[in-house]
């Protein structure tokens, strides 16, 4: 199935080889990944210079390569093509459109489907495993634990930790989990509310004889009426204080950030200190004196203001899940197609949007580490027991997955390429 492009002036593409000679130079025979990347960059350059004719011609060639049911390069290209069309439709709305389902429309899934989504490849489970092991060690001996959870996977991380706590030698601690009512509008989408998720977690904890409480941190109503994308972040920061979080002196506080920090804008927020929301968030959570902060995210830099830079980085990074899925799922697998659509959602935002609409602002593990150190945090190395648990997890996966240690990070790899990093931190001067 190809991505369909509607071109208002067919004469523009009667002889694309003439107009594309520069873009196609060196691309002989079938178009491999390097040639596809080259075409994507030429198309981006044409859009940035408002050369709609050349952009259309390049898209014509890409459309003959792209296929949502082809090999990994063809499937990845189809989503980049959608993203470029989405972008071009705003540059010149009358010249082209996409006659296919938009990547931005993704159906909500059930809890059972979400479990299958998480288990498909170790993209999320790697972070869950490393984090839960580190948290388990950090709260050893604690009778009461409060986890402040910022993530995009609807608390799928916590049943495993609850189960582990139920089996520890000493009595399981009283466990409280708090989540913000607002989450980034990104897949996976769940067909139930966060309150319903909390009820399910509570029932699971009861079955494991773990005392449990679930809280939802609601937005500040005085901020939520603003017609400004930043109100979510302002509201969130305004609620991260001991009073609103109902912090209790006898609880060990852990802050968990799983594939989430990237959604806090890195632009200056106009506050007195001229810091970004991201830095203000880190300063704020440092102020509540957590026992540990976990940060897990994808190991790539996708925050550049340059479209061509984002295309290069994104294309050379997001081939990983497409390639990994190719190893064990048939080309027409609905599970594979839907998982790839979620990656396509990300690509469309990275390539198709700018300003506050571009919410995918990923930074690599090394940059995150420097940001944390600049913010007054010390790294906590993962111990050998945690490393062993992650290795057991990866032994259950396809042979291409691996793990390495970089400084104090654990990094998930696919065929030697970094994909996801996990880090653990404590604030300087943490008062236990």
């Amino acid at each position: 199935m190809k991505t369909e492009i509607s071109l208002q002036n067919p004469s523009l593409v009667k002889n694309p080889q003439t107009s594309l000679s520069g873009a196609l130079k060196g691309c002989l025979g079938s178009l491999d990944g390097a040639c596809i990347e080259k075409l994507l960059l030429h198309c981006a350059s044409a859009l940035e210079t408002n050369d709609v004719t050349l952009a259309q011609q390049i898209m014509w060639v890409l459309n003959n390569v792209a296929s949502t049911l082809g090999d990994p390069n063809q499937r990845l290209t189809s989503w980049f093509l959608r993203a470029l069309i989405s972008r071009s439709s705003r540059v010149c709305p009358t010249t082209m459109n996409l006659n296919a389902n938009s990547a931005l429309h993704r159906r909500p899934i059930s809890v059972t489907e979400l479990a299958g989504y998480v288990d498909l490849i170790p993209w999320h489970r790697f972070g869950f495993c490393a984090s839960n092991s580190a948290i388990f060690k950090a709260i050893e001996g604690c009778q009461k634990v409060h986890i402040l959870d910022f993530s995009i996977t609807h608390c799928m991380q916590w049943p495993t930790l609850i189960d582990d706590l139920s089996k520890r030698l000493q009595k399981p601690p009283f466990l409280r989990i708090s989540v913000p009512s607002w989450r980034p509008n990104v897949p996976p989408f769940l067909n139930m509310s966060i309150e319903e998720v909390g009820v399910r977690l509570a029932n699971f904890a009861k079955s494991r004889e773990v005392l449990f409480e679930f809280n939802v941190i609601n937005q500040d109503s005085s901020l939520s009426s603003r017609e400004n994308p930043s109100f979510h972040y302002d509201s969130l920061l305004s609620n991260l204080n001991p009073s609103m979080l109902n912090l209790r002196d006898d609880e060990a506080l852990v802050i968990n950030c799983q594939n989430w920090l990237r959604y806090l804008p890195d632009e200056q927020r106009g506050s007195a200190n001229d810091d970004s929301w991201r830095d203000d968030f880190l300063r704020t959570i440092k102020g509540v004196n957590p026992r540990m902060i976990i940060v897990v995210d994808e190991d790539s830099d996708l925050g550049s203001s340059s479209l061509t830079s984002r295309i290069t980085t994104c294309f050379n990074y997001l081939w990983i899940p497409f390639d990994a899925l190719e190893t064990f799922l048939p080309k027409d697998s609905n599970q594979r197609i839907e998982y790839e659509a979620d990656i396509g959602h990300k690509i469309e935002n990275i390539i198709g949007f700018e300003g506050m609409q571009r919410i995918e602002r990923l930074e690599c593990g090394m940059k995150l580490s420097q940001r944390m150190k600049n913010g007054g945090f010390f790294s906590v190395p993962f111990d050998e027991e945690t490393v062993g648990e992650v290795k057991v997890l990866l032994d259950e996966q396809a042979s291409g997955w691996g793990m390495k240690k970089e400084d104090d990070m654990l990094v998930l790899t696919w065929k030697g390429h970094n994909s996801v990093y996990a880090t653990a931190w404590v604030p300087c001067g943490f008062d236990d």
Side-chain angles (χ1 to χ4, degrees):
M1 181 172 63
K2 290 187 180 300
T3 301
E4 298 294 332
I5 300 177
S6 172
L7 300 174
Q8 296 297 317
N9 186 354
S11 64
L12 292 174
V13 295
K14 283 183 178 178
N15 186 13
Q17 293 296 331
T18 301
S19 301
L20 295 177
S21 59
L24 289 171
K25 187 176 181 181
C27 294
L28 302 176
S30 61
L31 295 181
D32 60 11
C35 290
I36 292 170
E37 180 187 345
K38 185 175 181 180
L39 285 170
L40 291 171
L41 291 174
H42 277 280
C43 187
S45 179
L47 289 174
E48 287 186 317
T49 58
N50 294 319
D51 189 342
V52 178
T53 299
L54 178 57
Q56 287 178 321
Q57 293 173 333
I58 296 172
M59 288 180 188
W60 183 88
V61 175
L62 289 170
N63 189 56
N64 283 277
V65 176
S67 171
T68 57
L69 297 178
D71 64 30
N73 273 336
Q74 291 174 312
R75 298 167 87 103
L76 183 58
T77 300
S78 72
W79 290 107
F80 271 86
L81 181 57
R82 286 170 179 255
L84 287 168
I85 293 171
S86 174
R87 186 182 183 95
S88 65
S89 68
R90 287 185 292 278
V91 174
C92 192
T94 61
T95 59
M96 54 187 71
N97 61 69
L98 181 62
N99 295 326
N101 292 328
S102 171
L104 293 174
H105 297 289
R106 177 72 163 88
R107 71 176 180 89
I109 58 179
S110 68
V111 170
T112 301
E113 289 174 308
L114 180 60
Y117 177 99
V118 168
D119 287 341
L120 195 57
I121 58 176
W123 207 262
H124 294 290
R125 289 186 66 203
F126 164 80
F128 293 174
C129 182
S131 301
N132 284 348
S133 181
I135 292 170
F136 190 90
K137 304 295 187 304
I139 62 175
E140 190 171 2
C142 297
Q143 299 304 308
K144 295 183 179 181
V145 177
H146 183 192
I147 297 176
L148 186 52
D149 182 33
F150 300 97
S151 66
I152 63 169
T153 50
H154 309 281
C155 297
M156 282 298 293
Q157 175 176 352
W158 304 124
T160 302
L161 179 65
I162 291 171
D163 190 54
D164 288 342
L165 290 174
S166 72
K167 298 172 183 175
R168 75 176 190 175
L169 294 178
Q170 63 268 51
K171 181 181 177 182
F174 170 84
L175 177 63
R176 184 158 65 109
I177 294 179
S178 297
V179 299
S181 60
W182 169 81
R183 73 183 288 276
N185 188 32
V186 296
F189 301 113
L190 192 62
N191 64 358
M192 66 174 58
S193 69
I194 188 61
E195 289 81 7
E196 290 175 287
V197 171
V199 170
R200 287 176 176 250
L201 272 181
N203 289 335
F204 181 80
K206 185 177 181 180
S207 74
R208 296 298 188 271
E209 299 183 338
V210 174
L211 297 176
F212 182 80
E213 182 181 325
F214 188 83
N215 302 126
V216 177
I217 308 165
N218 292 308
Q219 291 185 40
D220 185 337
S221 59
S222 67
L223 293 168
S224 61
S225 61
R226 297 181 185 175
E227 294 182 2
N228 185 326
S230 69
F231 82 82
H232 294 295
Y233 314 114
D234 288 324
S235 175
L236 174 68
L237 291 172
S238 73
N239 283 281
L240 297 183
N241 60 71
S243 175
M244 295 298 292
L245 295 175
N246 190 24
L247 297 186
R248 302 163 188 170
D249 292 338
D250 58 348
E251 290 179 330
L253 177 64
V254 174
I255 297 178
N256 183 67
C257 297
Q258 297 273 337
N259 296 81
W260 193 87
L261 198 58
R262 75 179 88 156
Y263 297 110
L264 290 173
D266 204 20
E267 293 91 352
Q268 292 180 344
R269 58 185 299 234
S271 57
N273 52 32
D274 283 333
D275 277 340
S276 67
W277 277 276
R278 202 171 297 184
D279 288 325
D280 268 3
F281 171 79
L282 293 175
R283 178 184 296 105
T284 301
I285 63 172
K286 183 174 182 285
V288 296
N289 200 33
R291 176 176 291 264
M292 177 173 281
I293 302 98
I294 300 289
V295 181
V296 175
D297 220 320
E298 297 169 2
D299 199 10
S300 183
D301 268 316
L302 293 170
S304 172
S305 60
S306 164
L307 175 61
T308 55
S309 175
R310 294 203 304 273
I311 284 179
T312 296
T313 305
C314 189
F315 189 80
N316 285 287
Y317 174 67
L318 287 178
W319 70 271
I320 293 174
F322 282 85
D323 191 57
L325 292 170
E326 175 79 1
T327 63
F328 69 98
L329 285 178
K331 295 185 185 302
D332 60 351
S333 161
N334 286 333
Q335 189 180 27
R336 176 178 177 180
I337 291 169
E338 291 196 339
Y339 195 96
E340 290 174 345
D342 285 356
I343 304 170
H345 184 288
K346 183 184 304 181
I347 293 170
E348 185 157 358
N349 187 261
I350 293 167
I351 305 304
F353 293 88
E354 297 293 348
M356 292 295 286
Q357 288 183 308
R358 179 164 59 83
I359 63 172
E360 294 283 350
R361 305 291 185 88
L362 186 65
E363 63 182 355
C364 67
M366 295 303 293
K367 284 189 176 180
L368 179 279
S369 292
Q370 191 58 55
R371 183 188 295 273
M372 296 296 289
K373 291 171 184 175
N374 291 344
F377 296 91
F378 282 126
S379 176
V380 179
F382 292 96
D383 64 20
E384 289 306 312
E385 189 172 347
T386 297
V387 172
E389 290 180 24
V390 175
K391 285 181 178 178
V392 170
L393 166 68
L394 297 182
D395 286 343
E396 302 170 357
Q397 305 294 322
S399 59
W401 294 106
M403 179 190 61
K404 62 183 178 182
K405 297 183 76 170
E406 290 188 351
D407 294 329
D408 292 325
M409 294 189 296
L410 289 185
V411 182
L412 175 69
T413 62
W414 172 252
K415 296 180 178 178
H417 297 270
N418 289 15
S419 57
V420 179
Y421 67 84
T423 59
W425 306 85
V426 295
C428 298
F430 167 71
D431 180 17
D432 192 348

